[in-house]
Structure formats: structure tokens, C-alpha cells
Amino acid sequence: MSFMNNIFRGHLAKKSLMIVAFGSALGVTAINAQASDSLQALYQQVKNDVSTEAAHNSEREQRFMAAAGEQKAMLAEVEAAVAAQEAMRDEMKVSFDDNEAVLEKVSTQLDRRTGNLGELFGVFRQMAGDTQQMLYSSIITSEFPERTAEIEVLSQTKEVPTIAEMQKLWALMLQEISESGQVSRFNTEVTKPSGESYNAEVTRVGTFNAITADKYLNYDADGGQLVELSRQPASNITNSAAELSASSGNKETSFAVDPSRGVLLGLLVQSPSLIERVQQGKGVGYAILALGVIGLLIVLERMTKLSIISKRMNKQLKNMNQASDDNPLGRMMLAYYENKHLNDLDVISKKLQEVIFKDLAEIRKGLATIKVLAAIAPLMGLLGTVTGMIGTFQAITLFGTGDPKLMAGGISQALITTVEGLIVAIPLLLCSNMLSSRTQQLSKVIGEQASGMVAQKAVEIASAKA
């Protein structure tokens, strides 16, 4: 930059001299001494600057020449390194080609030696997969949960199985076979239908059922846990479970086993109970049952009353000399003795008939009501059938026949009410027939005794007239 400034200054000085010379040529005659001194100084300064700049450039050239030597040395070193790497590359390429040939040879030898093991590997994978599915859903896994991880590793292997792996699969299959015939007890977590868990002693019966106390359990394969059935089976089945849970040693115990491994038990607990069947009948069903209860109460009252009358009459028959007013036969005898002094048979007969009709009305009381209830019950069942079918057809109209569950409610009501009507009517009819027979028997005894007394009185009157 200083060198360029000096050159610029030199150009300015030259231009000044040219202007002065031009001015002289035009006749400018006055040049003072001060201007001449300034040009001399300017010249001297330009000269000094040129010398300084030349020295600086020379120094820079020397430094550049020294750096160029160093660059050549570095370039030589880099070229030597590149040559060494290229030589190494060539050696590695030769080694790689040799290894490729060896690998191909070894792979061919491996394929030839493992050709027979390929079929073994396929069979092993298939057996491991089948065994995994079997163990996954087996109730025995609830007692040995660690085997799920073991069989998963064996089923997911991608290499030719080792002897140890094949022996492990064999051991798991033998364990399943052996435990399927055992009844064992172990402690584990049991989940209630509400989601709560508790630790309990579980009794496992082979691969069929698991119980704790008197409750049947279901094995949830997804969660790997035992869950209580939402509904337990009938009491006779749960009692066998409780008996097995409480048994010890080699004592023989009866137990209700589900051979389908829970399928039948699940269907059994899904079947409606007696209370649920009654609830399916809805209002009509409740009315039929109420009618049946009323009829049965009347039947019980009549049977009790007739039994008492029958006992008292039998007691009276054993002692005909002393009449009692606690039974129809005794009251009839009292009426006869009160009117025995009369000699008119018609009057005596009417007096006896009055007492007999009154007692027979009491004896036959309620029989007509029982017959009416027995006739109404099936009619109410028919009413429930009609209302249930109406509900079914309404569901079909609204939702079609695609979902049978929508029609199940109406059909259930129709069938249940019909059954309830028959269940109420049949016993009431039988009881009505039985009570009618009992009433006729008592009426026959009273009538026979009354006819005998009238006949005896007729003989007495005839003898008196004779």
C-alpha cells in the first residue's frame, strides 16, 4: 500500500512539473524558490519509498522460497504415504480374493454337511410352535409360569437346534404329559371377577380344572393368571370342589371334572338360574306364580282341615254311643237324637239333611276356587306367550332378524310364562282332584250313617204301629 502511494505521489509530481513547464512556455516567468524546494523533497521521498518497498519485496520473496521448499518436502511425504496405502490396498485385495475363495469352499462344505439337518430344523420349529400353543393355553402353566419364556426362545430360534435345545423341548413335553395326570396344590395369585387379587392355595386337577376352596377357576392365557368364574355352578358341584380342597393324603374324593377343560363349565355357568328364569317371565310370570302360591295355600289349608275332620270322624265311628259336636258325623248324630222322639220320618230326614248340607258346604269349601285357579293359570301363561311374541315382532320390525339376541327376550317371556302356567295348573288340578275324592269319601260316610239312622227309626215306627 505504501509503494502504491509513492507511485501515486510520483505521478502527481510529474504532472506538476508538466504544468510548470507548460506555464513557462506560455510566458510564465515567475517561479519562487519555495516551490522548487518542495519538488525536490517530494522526489527524495518517492525515491526512499521505492527503496524501502524493494527491500520489503525481496524479504517476502525469500520467505516464499523457504516455504516452497517445505511444501515440496510435505508433498513428498504425502506421495510416499499414498504409495504405501496403495500397496496395502493391493495386498488386502489379494487377501480378500483369497478369503472369498476359501469362504465359498467352506460354505459349499457346510451346505453339504448340514443338508440333512435342514429337515430336522423344520421339524423342530414346527414342534416348538405347536408346543408353545399347547403350553400357552394349558392350565398347568399357572403352576409353572417360567416355561412360557423357555418355549418362546425355542420357537423363535433361527439356527439349527443344538442337542441341549432339543432336550429342553423334550423335557417340556414330558412335563406336560406327566403333570396332566397329577393333582397338585400350589400357592399363586387369584383374581376375582371384580379385578381384586389375593393369594390362595390352588388345587389343580390335571389339565382340566383348578379350584380354590369351593370356587372353580378359569385360566386366562393372555394375562397368565387364574380368575374366579363370574358365576359358580350349582351347589352340588361346588361342594365337591370344597371337599377336594379340604382333602389330604391319598384319601379318595369325588370331584366334578370338566373333561372339555372349562368349555362345558363355562356353558354351564352361563345357563340361567331358577331365579333368572322366573325374571324372564316379567309381570305376567310373577302374576302366575302369585296365583300358584295362593292356590297352594288354599290346598294346604283344605288338606289340613279335611285331615282333622277325618280323624275326628274316625274317632266318632269308634264310639257311636256318645256323639260329639266337633265333627260332622257327631253333629248329625246329635241332630238325630234331638229329633228321635218324633214319629215323622220326613221331619227327621229334613233335620238331618239340614245339618249334613251345612257340614258338607264347610267340607267342600275352597274346592271351586282351586279349580278356577287351575283353569286360570294356563290362560295367564297363554297371555304371557302372546305378549312375549308381540315384543319379539316389534324387535323384528325395528331391528330386523340380523341379531337373534334382540328377539331372545320376547321369546324367553313367551316360553317361560307358558311353562309357569302349566307348572301352576298341573299341581292345582291334581290337588283339586285329591281334595274332591277326600270330600266325597267323608260325604259318603256321613250319608251312610244318616241313612242308617233313618232306616232304624223307620223300623222302630213300624214296630210301634204293629
Side-chain angles (χ1 to χ4, degrees):
M1 183 64 68
S2 177
F3 178 72
M4 294 300 295
N5 290 336
N6 292 334
I7 295 175
F8 180 70
R9 290 175 181 174
H11 283 294
L12 290 177
K14 289 180 180 181
K15 288 182 179 180
S16 299
L17 292 174
M18 291 176 64
I19 293 171
V20 171
F22 183 73
S24 299
L26 293 175
V28 179
T29 58
I31 300 174
N32 58 27
Q34 186 176 0
S36 177
D37 293 337
S38 299
L39 291 175
Q40 187 65 32
L42 178 61
Y43 171 72
Q44 191 63 36
Q45 183 179 357
V46 170
K47 184 177 179 181
N48 293 335
D49 292 340
V50 170
S51 299
T52 303
E53 187 70 23
H56 178 70
N57 292 335
S58 177
E59 182 181 0
R60 289 180 61 192
E61 290 178 357
Q62 292 178 359
R63 288 200 305 270
F64 180 78
M65 294 298 295
E70 295 177 358
Q71 293 294 331
K72 288 182 179 180
M74 292 176 61
L75 178 61
E77 293 178 0
V78 171
E79 289 177 350
V82 170
Q85 293 296 327
E86 290 178 350
M88 185 181 298
R89 180 198 63 188
D90 295 337
E91 293 178 359
M92 292 181 66
K93 186 176 183 303
V94 173
S95 177
F96 178 80
D97 294 338
D98 294 340
N99 290 336
E100 282 288 332
V102 174
L103 180 61
E104 183 177 0
K105 181 180 179 181
V106 172
S107 297
T108 303
Q109 186 179 4
L110 179 62
D111 294 338
R112 184 173 60 255
R113 291 183 178 181
T114 59
N116 296 329
L117 294 178
E119 184 177 357
L120 173 64
F121 174 66
V123 173
F124 179 83
R125 284 290 301 273
Q126 181 179 359
M127 291 299 300
D130 296 341
T131 305
Q132 182 184 22
Q133 294 180 359
M134 178 182 63
L135 300 184
Y136 181 76
S137 59
S138 175
I139 199 172
I140 301 177
T141 307
S142 62
E143 186 176 357
F144 305 100
E146 67 279 357
R147 65 180 187 171
T148 55
E150 297 175 357
I151 190 61
E152 184 176 1
V153 173
L154 295 177
S155 63
Q156 293 181 355
T157 182
K158 296 182 179 179
E159 299 178 354
V160 176
T162 62
I163 296 178
E165 290 175 339
M166 289 187 288
Q167 290 177 344
K168 186 62 178 178
L169 178 61
W170 179 52
L172 291 175
M173 296 174 69
L174 285 180
Q175 181 190 38
E176 181 71 13
I177 296 172
S178 175
E179 292 295 332
S180 64
Q182 300 293 327
V183 177
S184 64
R185 285 190 173 95
F186 59 96
N187 290 322
T188 186
E189 290 288 331
V190 178
T191 303
K192 296 182 179 180
S194 60
E196 300 178 3
S197 299
Y198 63 94
N199 190 276
E201 183 183 54
V202 175
T203 303
R204 177 183 57 80
V205 182
T207 59
F208 303 109
N209 298 109
I211 59 173
T212 176
D214 61 342
K215 294 180 175 60
Y216 279 79
L217 306 177
N218 184 30
Y219 179 63
D220 183 10
D222 295 332
Q225 57 186 352
L226 293 172
V227 183
E228 290 183 5
L229 294 177
S230 57
R231 288 180 54 188
Q232 295 295 327
S235 58
N236 59 332
I237 299 179
T238 55
N239 290 339
S240 68
E243 185 178 355
L244 178 61
S245 298
S247 64
S248 60
N250 296 325
K251 180 181 178 182
E252 292 186 1
T253 304
S254 61
F255 177 70
V257 178
D258 182 6
S260 64
R261 302 182 182 183
V263 177
L264 293 179
L265 190 61
L267 296 176
L268 180 63
V269 298
Q270 288 180 3
S271 60
S273 62
L274 179 60
I275 296 177
E276 291 175 341
R277 290 291 190 190
V278 172
Q279 292 175 349
Q280 290 176 354
K282 299 182 180 179
V284 178
Y286 293 136
I288 295 174
L289 294 179
L291 195 69
V293 171
I294 294 173
L296 290 177
L297 291 176
I298 296 174
V299 169
L300 292 176
E301 189 272 335
R302 285 290 87 196
M303 291 180 66
T304 304
K305 187 70 174 178
L306 293 178
S307 297
I308 295 173
I309 293 174
S310 179
K311 289 180 180 179
R312 291 176 178 178
M313 288 179 61
N314 291 332
K315 184 178 179 181
Q316 183 67 60
L317 288 172
K318 294 178 181 179
N319 187 12
M320 296 296 291
N321 295 326
Q322 185 178 357
S324 176
D325 62 351
D326 61 352
N327 62 91
L329 182 58
R331 287 190 290 270
M332 185 269 296
M333 292 174 62
L334 290 174
Y336 174 76
Y337 291 143
E338 290 176 357
N339 299 280
K340 186 177 181 180
H341 62 282
L342 299 175
N343 293 323
D344 190 350
L345 291 178
D346 292 336
V347 175
I348 295 174
S349 297
K350 290 180 180 180
K351 290 290 184 179
L352 295 180
Q353 288 177 2
E354 180 182 358
V355 175
I356 292 172
F357 288 158
K358 183 178 179 181
D359 287 332
L360 289 180
E362 182 65 24
I363 292 174
R364 294 170 181 171
K365 181 181 178 180
L367 295 181
T369 303
I370 296 174
K371 291 181 179 179
V372 171
L373 294 179
I376 291 176
L379 294 178
M380 294 185 66
L382 180 60
L383 175 62
T385 302
V386 174
T387 55
M389 295 309 297
I390 290 174
T392 301
F393 289 127
Q394 287 179 346
I396 294 175
T397 302
L398 294 175
F399 305 103
T401 59
D403 190 0
K405 293 182 179 179
L406 297 175
M407 301 180 289
I411 296 174
S412 298
Q413 181 183 0
L415 298 178
I416 292 299
T417 52
T418 303
V419 172
E420 289 175 344
L422 295 176
I423 290 175
V424 171
I426 293 172
L428 289 180
L429 284 174
L430 294 176
C431 292
S432 176
N433 186 41
M434 182 183 64
L435 292 174
S436 297
S437 299
R438 193 74 173 271
T439 301
Q440 290 176 1
Q441 183 180 2
L442 295 176
S443 301
K444 180 181 179 181
V445 173
I446 296 172
E448 288 177 351
Q449 294 298 325
S451 298
M453 290 180 180
V454 172
Q456 183 180 0
K457 182 63 177 177
V459 171
E460 293 178 356
I461 293 174
S463 298
K465 289 181 177 180

mmCIF file of all heavy atoms in Angstrom, residues 429-464:
data_model
loop_
_atom_site.group_PDB
_atom_site.id
_atom_site.type_symbol
_atom_site.label_atom_id
_atom_site.label_comp_id
_atom_site.label_asym_id
_atom_site.label_seq_id
_atom_site.Cartn_x
_atom_site.Cartn_y
_atom_site.Cartn_z
ATOM 1 N N LEU A 429 -104.609 -78.874 39.697
ATOM 2 C CA LEU A 429 -105.604 -79.850 39.234
ATOM 3 C C LEU A 429 -105.500 -81.159 40.011
ATOM 4 O O LEU A 429 -106.510 -81.754 40.409
ATOM 5 C CB LEU A 429 -105.426 -80.111 37.737
ATOM 6 C CG LEU A 429 -105.933 -79.012 36.788
ATOM 7 C CD1 LEU A 429 -105.566 -79.352 35.352
ATOM 8 C CD2 LEU A 429 -107.441 -78.851 36.924
ATOM 9 N N LEU A 430 -104.276 -81.625 40.219
ATOM 10 C CA LEU A 430 -104.088 -82.854 40.987
ATOM 11 C C LEU A 430 -104.589 -82.699 42.418
ATOM 12 O O LEU A 430 -105.260 -83.587 42.964
ATOM 13 C CB LEU A 430 -102.610 -83.253 40.973
ATOM 14 C CG LEU A 430 -102.028 -83.668 39.614
ATOM 15 C CD1 LEU A 430 -100.529 -83.934 39.727
ATOM 16 C CD2 LEU A 430 -102.746 -84.891 39.075
ATOM 17 N N CYS A 431 -104.254 -81.560 43.015
ATOM 18 C CA CYS A 431 -104.699 -81.315 44.390
ATOM 19 C C CYS A 431 -106.218 -81.185 44.452
ATOM 20 O O CYS A 431 -106.864 -81.671 45.402
ATOM 21 C CB CYS A 431 -104.042 -80.056 44.935
ATOM 22 S SG CYS A 431 -102.260 -80.224 45.191
ATOM 23 N N SER A 432 -106.819 -80.546 43.440
ATOM 24 C CA SER A 432 -108.277 -80.407 43.410
ATOM 25 C C SER A 432 -108.944 -81.777 43.316
ATOM 26 O O SER A 432 -109.942 -82.063 44.008
ATOM 27 C CB SER A 432 -108.686 -79.531 42.232
ATOM 28 O OG SER A 432 -110.091 -79.467 42.124
ATOM 29 N N ASN A 433 -108.387 -82.632 42.479
ATOM 30 C CA ASN A 433 -108.939 -83.977 42.349
ATOM 31 C C ASN A 433 -108.790 -84.764 43.649
ATOM 32 O O ASN A 433 -109.709 -85.483 44.085
ATOM 33 C CB ASN A 433 -108.239 -84.691 41.211
ATOM 34 C CG ASN A 433 -108.862 -86.040 40.916
ATOM 35 O OD1 ASN A 433 -110.077 -86.193 40.932
ATOM 36 N ND2 ASN A 433 -108.020 -87.023 40.650
ATOM 37 N N MET A 434 -107.637 -84.626 44.289
ATOM 38 C CA MET A 434 -107.402 -85.337 45.524
ATOM 39 C C MET A 434 -108.353 -84.861 46.624
ATOM 40 O O MET A 434 -108.943 -85.664 47.368
ATOM 41 C CB MET A 434 -105.948 -85.150 45.972
ATOM 42 C CG MET A 434 -105.585 -85.894 47.251
ATOM 43 S SD MET A 434 -103.899 -85.556 47.760
ATOM 44 C CE MET A 434 -104.004 -83.804 48.097
ATOM 45 N N LEU A 435 -108.522 -83.527 46.738
ATOM 46 C CA LEU A 435 -109.420 -82.985 47.759
ATOM 47 C C LEU A 435 -110.869 -83.366 47.468
ATOM 48 O O LEU A 435 -111.655 -83.621 48.397
ATOM 49 C CB LEU A 435 -109.274 -81.465 47.814
ATOM 50 C CG LEU A 435 -107.923 -80.940 48.351
ATOM 51 C CD1 LEU A 435 -107.853 -79.426 48.218
ATOM 52 C CD2 LEU A 435 -107.697 -81.366 49.791
ATOM 53 N N SER A 436 -111.238 -83.407 46.183
ATOM 54 C CA SER A 436 -112.608 -83.815 45.841
ATOM 55 C C SER A 436 -112.856 -85.262 46.241
ATOM 56 O O SER A 436 -113.936 -85.605 46.778
ATOM 57 C CB SER A 436 -112.845 -83.639 44.336
ATOM 58 O OG SER A 436 -112.743 -82.285 43.969
ATOM 59 N N SER A 437 -111.875 -86.123 46.007
ATOM 60 C CA SER A 437 -112.023 -87.529 46.406
ATOM 61 C C SER A 437 -112.142 -87.645 47.926
ATOM 62 O O SER A 437 -112.973 -88.424 48.446
ATOM 63 C CB SER A 437 -110.825 -88.337 45.916
ATOM 64 O OG SER A 437 -110.734 -88.294 44.504
ATOM 65 N N ARG A 438 -111.327 -86.866 48.615
ATOM 66 C CA ARG A 438 -111.389 -86.911 50.077
ATOM 67 C C ARG A 438 -112.740 -86.402 50.586
ATOM 68 O O ARG A 438 -113.348 -86.968 51.515
ATOM 69 C CB ARG A 438 -110.253 -86.041 50.639
ATOM 70 C CG ARG A 438 -110.005 -86.252 52.120
ATOM 71 C CD ARG A 438 -109.310 -87.573 52.331
ATOM 72 N NE ARG A 438 -108.916 -87.750 53.716
ATOM 73 C CZ ARG A 438 -107.755 -87.349 54.215
ATOM 74 N NH1 ARG A 438 -106.889 -86.743 53.408
ATOM 75 N NH2 ARG A 438 -107.461 -87.576 55.469
ATOM 76 N N THR A 439 -113.243 -85.377 49.963
ATOM 77 C CA THR A 439 -114.549 -84.822 50.353
ATOM 78 C C THR A 439 -115.671 -85.817 50.079
ATOM 79 O O THR A 439 -116.589 -85.997 50.905
ATOM 80 C CB THR A 439 -114.795 -83.513 49.587
ATOM 81 O OG1 THR A 439 -113.749 -82.598 49.881
ATOM 82 C CG2 THR A 439 -116.114 -82.899 49.985
ATOM 83 N N GLN A 440 -115.625 -86.451 48.930
ATOM 84 C CA GLN A 440 -116.651 -87.453 48.600
ATOM 85 C C GLN A 440 -116.610 -88.621 49.578
ATOM 86 O O GLN A 440 -117.660 -89.176 49.964
ATOM 87 C CB GLN A 440 -116.446 -87.953 47.175
ATOM 88 C CG GLN A 440 -116.773 -86.914 46.113
ATOM 89 C CD GLN A 440 -116.477 -87.411 44.717
ATOM 90 O OE1 GLN A 440 -116.040 -88.556 44.528
ATOM 91 N NE2 GLN A 440 -116.703 -86.554 43.723
ATOM 92 N N GLN A 441 -115.429 -89.000 49.997
ATOM 93 C CA GLN A 441 -115.315 -90.086 50.955
ATOM 94 C C GLN A 441 -115.969 -89.722 52.288
ATOM 95 O O GLN A 441 -116.720 -90.518 52.878
ATOM 96 C CB GLN A 441 -113.838 -90.445 51.162
ATOM 97 C CG GLN A 441 -113.617 -91.623 52.090
ATOM 98 C CD GLN A 441 -112.131 -91.931 52.259
ATOM 99 O OE1 GLN A 441 -111.281 -91.241 51.709
ATOM 100 N NE2 GLN A 441 -111.855 -92.986 53.026
ATOM 101 N N LEU A 442 -115.675 -88.495 52.747
ATOM 102 C CA LEU A 442 -116.287 -88.048 54.004
ATOM 103 C C LEU A 442 -117.808 -87.912 53.849
ATOM 104 O O LEU A 442 -118.582 -88.277 54.762
ATOM 105 C CB LEU A 442 -115.668 -86.728 54.440
ATOM 106 C CG LEU A 442 -114.173 -86.765 54.803
ATOM 107 C CD1 LEU A 442 -113.671 -85.371 55.133
ATOM 108 C CD2 LEU A 442 -113.901 -87.720 55.956
ATOM 109 N N SER A 443 -118.228 -87.382 52.706
ATOM 110 C CA SER A 443 -119.675 -87.227 52.472
ATOM 111 C C SER A 443 -120.367 -88.587 52.435
ATOM 112 O O SER A 443 -121.497 -88.751 52.927
ATOM 113 C CB SER A 443 -119.914 -86.481 51.158
ATOM 114 O OG SER A 443 -119.309 -85.208 51.187
ATOM 115 N N LYS A 444 -119.683 -89.573 51.848
ATOM 116 C CA LYS A 444 -120.253 -90.915 51.782
ATOM 117 C C LYS A 444 -120.438 -91.504 53.179
ATOM 118 O O LYS A 444 -121.479 -92.116 53.489
ATOM 119 C CB LYS A 444 -119.350 -91.807 50.939
ATOM 120 C CG LYS A 444 -119.854 -93.228 50.796
ATOM 121 C CD LYS A 444 -118.889 -94.047 49.965
ATOM 122 C CE LYS A 444 -119.384 -95.485 49.850
ATOM 123 N NZ LYS A 444 -118.431 -96.314 49.066
ATOM 124 N N VAL A 445 -119.464 -91.305 54.042
ATOM 125 C CA VAL A 445 -119.569 -91.835 55.412
ATOM 126 C C VAL A 445 -120.729 -91.178 56.146
ATOM 127 O O VAL A 445 -121.551 -91.855 56.808
ATOM 128 C CB VAL A 445 -118.239 -91.607 56.165
ATOM 129 C CG1 VAL A 445 -118.394 -91.989 57.639
ATOM 130 C CG2 VAL A 445 -117.123 -92.424 55.526
ATOM 131 N N ILE A 446 -120.836 -89.837 56.010
ATOM 132 C CA ILE A 446 -121.921 -89.124 56.687
ATOM 133 C C ILE A 446 -123.274 -89.573 56.143
ATOM 134 O O ILE A 446 -124.248 -89.821 56.888
ATOM 135 C CB ILE A 446 -121.731 -87.607 56.527
ATOM 136 C CG1 ILE A 446 -120.438 -87.150 57.223
ATOM 137 C CG2 ILE A 446 -122.924 -86.846 57.102
ATOM 138 C CD1 ILE A 446 -120.074 -85.702 56.957
ATOM 139 N N GLY A 447 -123.370 -89.698 54.791
ATOM 140 C CA GLY A 447 -124.636 -90.118 54.180
ATOM 141 C C GLY A 447 -125.030 -91.524 54.604
ATOM 142 O O GLY A 447 -126.223 -91.802 54.852
ATOM 143 N N GLU A 448 -124.047 -92.426 54.641
ATOM 144 C CA GLU A 448 -124.361 -93.795 55.036
ATOM 145 C C GLU A 448 -124.858 -93.846 56.481
ATOM 146 O O GLU A 448 -125.836 -94.567 56.802
ATOM 147 C CB GLU A 448 -123.110 -94.669 54.890
ATOM 148 C CG GLU A 448 -122.728 -94.948 53.429
ATOM 149 C CD GLU A 448 -121.456 -95.739 53.326
ATOM 150 O OE1 GLU A 448 -120.789 -95.916 54.389
ATOM 151 O OE2 GLU A 448 -121.104 -96.172 52.204
ATOM 152 N N GLN A 449 -124.221 -93.120 57.368
ATOM 153 C CA GLN A 449 -124.650 -93.133 58.769
ATOM 154 C C GLN A 449 -126.034 -92.490 58.917
ATOM 155 O O GLN A 449 -126.885 -92.991 59.685
ATOM 156 C CB GLN A 449 -123.617 -92.373 59.626
ATOM 157 C CG GLN A 449 -122.262 -93.047 59.687
ATOM 158 C CD GLN A 449 -122.333 -94.424 60.326
ATOM 159 O OE1 GLN A 449 -123.124 -94.664 61.263
ATOM 160 N NE2 GLN A 449 -121.531 -95.341 59.817
ATOM 161 N N ALA A 450 -126.275 -91.418 58.141
ATOM 162 C CA ALA A 450 -127.593 -90.771 58.213
ATOM 163 C C ALA A 450 -128.683 -91.704 57.689
ATOM 164 O O ALA A 450 -129.781 -91.823 58.281
ATOM 165 C CB ALA A 450 -127.570 -89.471 57.420
ATOM 166 N N SER A 451 -128.421 -92.378 56.580
ATOM 167 C CA SER A 451 -129.410 -93.328 56.017
ATOM 168 C C SER A 451 -129.671 -94.479 56.983
ATOM 169 O O SER A 451 -130.816 -94.956 57.144
ATOM 170 C CB SER A 451 -128.906 -93.863 54.682
ATOM 171 O OG SER A 451 -128.751 -92.817 53.752
ATOM 172 N N GLY A 452 -128.611 -94.921 57.662
ATOM 173 C CA GLY A 452 -128.786 -95.996 58.628
ATOM 174 C C GLY A 452 -129.652 -95.580 59.802
ATOM 175 O O GLY A 452 -130.511 -96.357 60.269
ATOM 176 N N MET A 453 -129.431 -94.343 60.267
ATOM 177 C CA MET A 453 -130.243 -93.869 61.387
ATOM 178 C C MET A 453 -131.704 -93.712 60.981
ATOM 179 O O MET A 453 -132.626 -94.061 61.745
ATOM 180 C CB MET A 453 -129.674 -92.545 61.895
ATOM 181 C CG MET A 453 -128.334 -92.690 62.597
ATOM 182 S SD MET A 453 -127.703 -91.102 63.177
ATOM 183 C CE MET A 453 -126.173 -91.615 63.928
ATOM 184 N N VAL A 454 -131.969 -93.183 59.794
ATOM 185 C CA VAL A 454 -133.346 -93.018 59.319
ATOM 186 C C VAL A 454 -134.005 -94.378 59.153
ATOM 187 O O VAL A 454 -135.203 -94.579 59.502
ATOM 188 C CB VAL A 454 -133.365 -92.216 58.013
ATOM 189 C CG1 VAL A 454 -134.762 -92.215 57.407
ATOM 190 C CG2 VAL A 454 -132.881 -90.782 58.252
ATOM 191 N N ALA A 455 -133.247 -95.347 58.627
ATOM 192 C CA ALA A 455 -133.808 -96.697 58.452
ATOM 193 C C ALA A 455 -134.132 -97.331 59.801
ATOM 194 O O ALA A 455 -135.171 -97.998 59.975
ATOM 195 C CB ALA A 455 -132.813 -97.555 57.681
ATOM 196 N N GLN A 456 -133.259 -97.122 60.768
ATOM 197 C CA GLN A 456 -133.510 -97.665 62.104
ATOM 198 C C GLN A 456 -134.753 -97.044 62.717
ATOM 199 O O GLN A 456 -135.574 -97.744 63.344
ATOM 200 C CB GLN A 456 -132.280 -97.413 62.990
ATOM 201 C CG GLN A 456 -132.425 -98.010 64.381
ATOM 202 C CD GLN A 456 -131.203 -97.745 65.244
ATOM 203 O OE1 GLN A 456 -130.237 -97.115 64.802
ATOM 204 N NE2 GLN A 456 -131.242 -98.221 66.467
ATOM 205 N N LYS A 457 -134.910 -95.724 62.505
ATOM 206 C CA LYS A 457 -136.106 -95.050 63.030
ATOM 207 C C LYS A 457 -137.362 -95.574 62.342
ATOM 208 O O LYS A 457 -138.425 -95.742 62.986
ATOM 209 C CB LYS A 457 -135.967 -93.534 62.831
ATOM 210 C CG LYS A 457 -137.146 -92.745 63.382
ATOM 211 C CD LYS A 457 -137.269 -92.911 64.898
ATOM 212 C CE LYS A 457 -138.398 -92.069 65.451
ATOM 213 N NZ LYS A 457 -138.603 -92.258 66.905
ATOM 214 N N ALA A 458 -137.258 -95.826 61.052
ATOM 215 C CA ALA A 458 -138.439 -96.365 60.316
ATOM 216 C C ALA A 458 -138.832 -97.721 60.872
ATOM 217 O O ALA A 458 -140.040 -98.053 60.985
ATOM 218 C CB ALA A 458 -138.103 -96.452 58.822
ATOM 219 N N VAL A 459 -137.849 -98.542 61.201
ATOM 220 C CA VAL A 459 -138.166 -99.853 61.771
ATOM 221 C C VAL A 459 -138.855 -99.710 63.127
ATOM 222 O O VAL A 459 -139.807 -100.425 63.450
ATOM 223 C CB VAL A 459 -136.851 -100.672 61.893
ATOM 224 C CG1 VAL A 459 -137.111 -101.952 62.681
ATOM 225 C CG2 VAL A 459 -136.311 -101.012 60.509
ATOM 226 N N GLU A 460 -138.377 -98.757 63.902
ATOM 227 C CA GLU A 460 -138.977 -98.532 65.213
ATOM 228 C C GLU A 460 -140.421 -98.078 65.079
ATOM 229 O O GLU A 460 -141.314 -98.516 65.829
ATOM 230 C CB GLU A 460 -138.162 -97.513 66.012
ATOM 231 C CG GLU A 460 -136.775 -98.001 66.400
ATOM 232 C CD GLU A 460 -135.992 -96.940 67.137
ATOM 233 O OE1 GLU A 460 -136.490 -95.797 67.278
ATOM 234 O OE2 GLU A 460 -134.823 -97.218 67.546
ATOM 235 N N ILE A 461 -140.676 -97.160 64.133
ATOM 236 C CA ILE A 461 -142.061 -96.680 63.947
ATOM 237 C C ILE A 461 -142.957 -97.804 63.480
ATOM 238 O O ILE A 461 -144.124 -97.962 63.919
ATOM 239 C CB ILE A 461 -142.063 -95.501 62.938
ATOM 240 C CG1 ILE A 461 -141.340 -94.285 63.545
ATOM 241 C CG2 ILE A 461 -143.493 -95.122 62.550
ATOM 242 C CD1 ILE A 461 -141.152 -93.125 62.586
ATOM 243 N N ALA A 462 -142.461 -98.630 62.567
ATOM 244 C CA ALA A 462 -143.264 -99.748 62.064
ATOM 245 C C ALA A 462 -143.586 -100.744 63.182
ATOM 246 O O ALA A 462 -144.678 -101.292 63.277
ATOM 247 C CB ALA A 462 -142.532 -100.444 60.933
ATOM 248 N N SER A 463 -142.629 -100.976 64.052
ATOM 249 C CA SER A 463 -142.839 -101.908 65.166
ATOM 250 C C SER A 463 -143.850 -101.354 66.143
ATOM 251 O O SER A 463 -144.703 -102.110 66.699
ATOM 252 C CB SER A 463 -141.507 -102.157 65.888
ATOM 253 O OG SER A 463 -140.575 -102.747 65.000
ATOM 254 N N ALA A 464 -143.812 -100.028 66.360
ATOM 255 C CA ALA A 464 -144.765 -99.403 67.297
ATOM 256 C C ALA A 464 -146.175 -99.485 66.749
ATOM 257 O O ALA A 464 -147.154 -99.715 67.493
ATOM 258 C CB ALA A 464 -144.348 -97.969 67.550
#
